[in-house]
């Protein structure tokens, strides 16, 4: 039996068709009711996702597909993390209206801080700490730069945490609830943190880019150290972290050049996320 529902994830809308009997209820723990919706015949959807069982696969696994393009199979117990990774794949691979950089984005007082970083750098932990201290989450995965306005558009989703990050956030924020904990994924143990109410309610509100911070957690570091990036170095690092820079061509180049010229870029290494947050706030206060 196939069920359908929709996700209104500004700036994209997803139509989901699935044979999973539990996926909708699982996602209802993660998404705001204004985002997780019934299908509307009056709505035009940007992505049509098919997430159904393939009975010839062991255990009746679920296949995540966008049109004829297949992403991955998922065993039923991994339905939520594979679904979330699949949405990341859709946005990163099949949209070219916005320059998409692999980075977390948070906002305070209308100014956006962009946190690009490779896996294992502590980006998601730092992002969660900032959000739980009052910053508005725009995204944990996709920095969506609008070439026409130079603004960062939100693409608000549940914040994905894994392995050691789960214990860190539970210790620092004991009242924060982690949902849909899943063990045994190819990334280890996963769980999700709901975006804060202000992150959901302002999911259509863009922000002005102000800082780009490349964070690196190092337990052996002494406090916090960092250095500023030149405009050319910042441009190259952001281009390398972009999913669709080469696809967008001239418009992508101009968008990234303008943003690189209007922000400050830094690399941070730290042994305590709070030190990094304090330094980020001090840099914003200099504005």
């Amino acid at each position: 039996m196939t069920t359908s529902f929709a996700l209104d994830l500004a700036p994209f809308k997803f139509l989901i068709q699935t044979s999973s009997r539990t996926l909708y209820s699982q996602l209802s723990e993660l998404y705001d009711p204004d985002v997780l919706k019934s299908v509307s015949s009056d709505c035009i959807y940007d992505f049509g996702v098919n997430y159904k069982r393939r009975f010839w696969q062991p255990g009746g696994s679920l296949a995540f597909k966008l049109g004829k393009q297949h992403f991955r199979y998922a065993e039923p117990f991994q339905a939520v993390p594979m679904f979330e990774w699949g949405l990341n794949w859709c946005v990163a691979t099949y949209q070219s209206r916005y320059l998409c950089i692999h980075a977390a984005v948070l906002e305070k007082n209308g100014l956006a801080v962009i946190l690009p970083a490779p896996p294992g750098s502590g980006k998601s932990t730092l992002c969660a700490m900032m959000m739980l201290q009052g910053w508005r989450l725009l995204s944990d995965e996709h920095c969506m730069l609008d070439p026409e306005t130079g603004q960062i558009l939100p693409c608000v989703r549940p914040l994905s945490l894994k392995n050691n990050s789960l214990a860190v956030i539970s210790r620092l924020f004991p009242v924060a609830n982690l949902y849909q904990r899943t063990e045994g994924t190819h990334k280890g143990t996963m769980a999700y943190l709901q975006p804060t109410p202000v992150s959901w309610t302002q999911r259509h509100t863009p922000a002005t880019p102000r800082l780009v911070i490349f964070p690196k957690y190092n337990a052996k570091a002494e406090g916090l150290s960092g250095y500023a990036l030149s405009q050319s170095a910042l441009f190259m690092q952001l281009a390398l972290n972009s999913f669709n820079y080469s696809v967008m061509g001239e418009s992508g180049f101009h968008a990234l050049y303008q943003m690189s010229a209007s922000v400050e870029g830094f690399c941070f290494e730290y042994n305590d996320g709070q030190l990094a947050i304090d330094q980020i706030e001090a840099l914003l206060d200099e504005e």
Side-chain angles (χ1 to χ4, degrees):
M1 179 179 177
T2 298
T3 59
S4 300
F5 59 88
L7 283 172
D8 184 1
L9 296 173
F12 308 113
K13 293 180 174 63
F14 288 79
L15 172 63
I16 314 298
Q17 294 183 316
T18 182
S19 57
S20 171
R21 297 181 178 181
T22 60
L23 183 63
Y24 183 89
S25 62
Q26 290 172 310
L27 295 179
S28 67
E29 290 189 341
L30 307 181
Y31 286 91
D32 188 89
D34 288 336
V35 175
L36 184 62
K37 297 181 174 182
S38 299
V39 176
S40 171
S41 59
D42 298 329
C43 183
I44 297 175
Y45 293 97
D46 300 284
F47 298 97
V49 172
N50 184 306
Y51 197 41
K52 296 181 180 180
R53 288 182 179 272
R54 295 295 182 264
F55 292 102
W56 58 86
Q57 293 290 325
S61 59
L62 295 160
F64 190 105
K65 295 178 65 179
L66 180 66
K68 295 183 179 180
Q69 301 301 313
H70 173 257
F71 177 53
R72 290 180 186 169
Y73 292 106
E75 296 182 54
F77 81 94
Q78 294 188 16
V80 170
M82 192 62 69
F83 179 80
E84 291 295 310
W85 294 329
L87 294 189
N88 291 342
W89 168 73
C90 291
V91 173
T93 309
Y94 292 106
Q95 74 80 33
S96 57
R97 179 177 177 182
Y98 308 108
L99 183 67
C100 184
I101 301 167
H102 185 206
V105 187
L106 299 108
E107 173 269 337
K108 180 172 281 190
N109 299 324
L111 300 176
V113 175
I114 301 165
L115 304 172
S121 62
K123 168 183 68 70
S124 292
T125 307
L126 184 63
C127 177
M129 291 176 64
M130 293 174 71
M131 184 188 74
L132 292 170
Q133 292 184 33
W135 292 69
R136 174 169 70 101
L137 177 71
L138 278 72
S139 179
D140 178 42
E141 289 289 338
H142 300 121
C143 172
M144 309 296 294
L145 177 61
D146 188 340
E148 296 182 1
T149 66
Q151 296 281 287
I152 306 297
L153 299 182
C155 190
V156 183
R157 302 249 309 282
L159 204 158
S160 169
L161 297 171
K162 59 182 180 294
N163 303 320
N164 293 337
S165 294
L166 303 174
V168 171
I169 295 302
S170 294
R171 175 174 56 83
L172 295 176
F173 303 93
V175 298
N177 293 318
L178 295 170
Y179 296 94
Q180 294 301 320
R181 184 183 181 96
T182 306
E183 298 181 358
T185 78
H186 73 278
K187 294 186 179 183
T189 300
M190 307 287 302
Y192 295 88
L193 187 64
Q194 289 181 340
T196 51
V198 68
S199 301
W200 282 130
T201 58
Q202 295 188 28
R203 69 185 185 277
H204 296 282
T205 304
T208 301
R210 172 66 182 85
L211 294 173
V212 179
I213 309 292
F214 291 84
K216 176 62 178 177
Y217 173 77
N218 181 358
K220 298 181 180 179
E222 296 183 2
L224 181 146
S225 61
Y227 57 90
L229 293 168
S230 67
Q231 181 184 344
S232 59
L234 177 61
F235 178 95
M236 291 304 299
Q237 287 298 317
L238 289 172
L240 290 172
N241 279 274
S242 173
F243 291 109
N244 62 347
Y245 171 73
S246 59
V247 174
M248 292 189 68
E250 185 176 354
S251 66
F253 171 82
H254 286 297
L256 196 57
Y257 177 83
Q258 292 296 329
M259 189 178 81
S260 300
S262 65
V263 302
E264 292 183 275
F266 299 89
C267 289
F268 284 0
E269 184 174 74
Y270 54 90
N271 65 358
D272 184 338
Q274 192 59 51
L275 293 175
I277 295 172
D278 292 344
Q279 184 60 48
I280 291 170
E281 291 182 338
L283 290 169
L284 275 186
D285 289 342
E286 292 178 0
E287 175 69 16

